[in-house]
């Protein structure tokens, strides 16, 4: 994709992200992707930009791994474009059958993420996808799940990165690609 086309697609994406100051609490600016999902051209632009990045930077991808819940919105679309499968990382208790889980820290406690035991095979090359990178806790937990499964994490893809929260530092040495940074 040429630079001019990439820039216009990125502008379309940015123009469809809405800011809500003081939500869910005072001092937080919530970045709402609902307008982006509602507009077919803007949603296509997100997937176009992710697809372009993946095709340029990764020789082989076996699976796209989406994080609960908004990674489920972008991941299957990207996986379909790339001709690869899609796998779910869910909150604890949401998947049937045998699962593998990890516990991770939240601002006020802990949570668990899990994957079906047979979802990822040892040695498979995976890319993780989510809508937002904030502190990095959820993506870090998903990377840990992939390591438990002996998969090779190629990198992480997010629509929005909140740079001041430095989530990318928590994910090192994983590469993180974000479309939009605030």
């Amino acid at each position: 994709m040429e630079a001019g086309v990439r820039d216009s697609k990125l502008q379309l994406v940015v123009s469809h992200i809405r800011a809500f100051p003081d939500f869910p609490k005072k001092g937080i600016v919530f970045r709402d992707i609902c307008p982006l999902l509602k507009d077919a051209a803007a949603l296509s632009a997100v997937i176009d930009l992710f697809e372009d990045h993946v095709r340029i930077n990764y020789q082989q991808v076996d699976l796209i791994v989406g994080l609960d819940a908004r990674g489920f919105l972008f991941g299957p679309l990207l996986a379909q474009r790339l001709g690869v499968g899609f796998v779910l990382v869910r909150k604890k208790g949401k998947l049937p059958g045998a699962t593998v889980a990890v516990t991770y820290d939240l601002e006020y406690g802990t949570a668990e993420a899990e994957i079906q035991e047979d979802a990822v095979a040892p040695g498979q090359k995976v890319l993780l996808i989510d809508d937002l990178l904030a502190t990095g806790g959820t993506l870090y937990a998903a990377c840990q799940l992939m390591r438990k499964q002996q998969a090779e994490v190629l990198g992480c893809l997010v629509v929005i990165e909140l740079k001041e929260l430095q989530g990318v530092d928590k994910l090192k040495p994983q590469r993180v690609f974000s479309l939009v940074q605030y």
Side-chain angles (χ1 to χ4, degrees), residues 31-110:
R31 303 295 175 171
D32 181 22
I33 61 166
C34 290
L36 181 108
L37 297 168
K38 188 170 84 172
D39 185 277
L43 180 56
S44 287
V46 168
I47 304 307
D48 291 346
L49 291 162
F50 280 146
E51 179 186 10
D52 186 60
H53 174 78
V54 172
R55 290 197 188 279
I56 289 169
N57 292 285
Y58 303 101
Q59 302 305 305
Q60 180 190 354
V61 175
D62 297 315
L63 294 170
I64 300 296
V65 178
L67 278 62
D68 197 343
R70 292 190 176 137
F72 301 171
L73 303 173
F74 303 105
L77 297 172
L78 179 59
Q80 184 179 43
R81 289 264 191 100
L82 297 171
V84 301
F86 176 74
V87 171
L88 309 170
V89 169
R90 302 268 348 237
K91 294 175 178 90
K92 181 83 171 154
K94 301 289 185 181
L95 290 170
T99 60
V100 176
V102 294
T103 301
Y104 62 100
D105 292 325
L106 297 171
E107 190 175 352
Y108 300 108
T110 61

Side-chain angles (χ1 to χ4, degrees), residues 3-54:
V5 172
R6 189 177 305 116
D7 290 345
S8 68
K9 286 181 183 287
L10 191 54
Q11 277 308 114
L12 182 61
V13 170
V14 169
S15 73
H16 283 81
I17 297 172
R18 219 173 9 186
F20 281 96
D22 298 323
F23 182 84
K25 62 183 185 179
K26 190 163 181 57
I28 305 269
V29 178
F30 186 87
R31 303 295 175 171
D32 181 22
I33 61 166
C34 290
L36 181 108
L37 297 168
K38 188 170 84 172
D39 185 277
L43 180 56
S44 287
V46 168
I47 304 307
D48 291 346
L49 291 162
F50 280 146
E51 179 186 10
D52 186 60
H53 174 78
V54 172

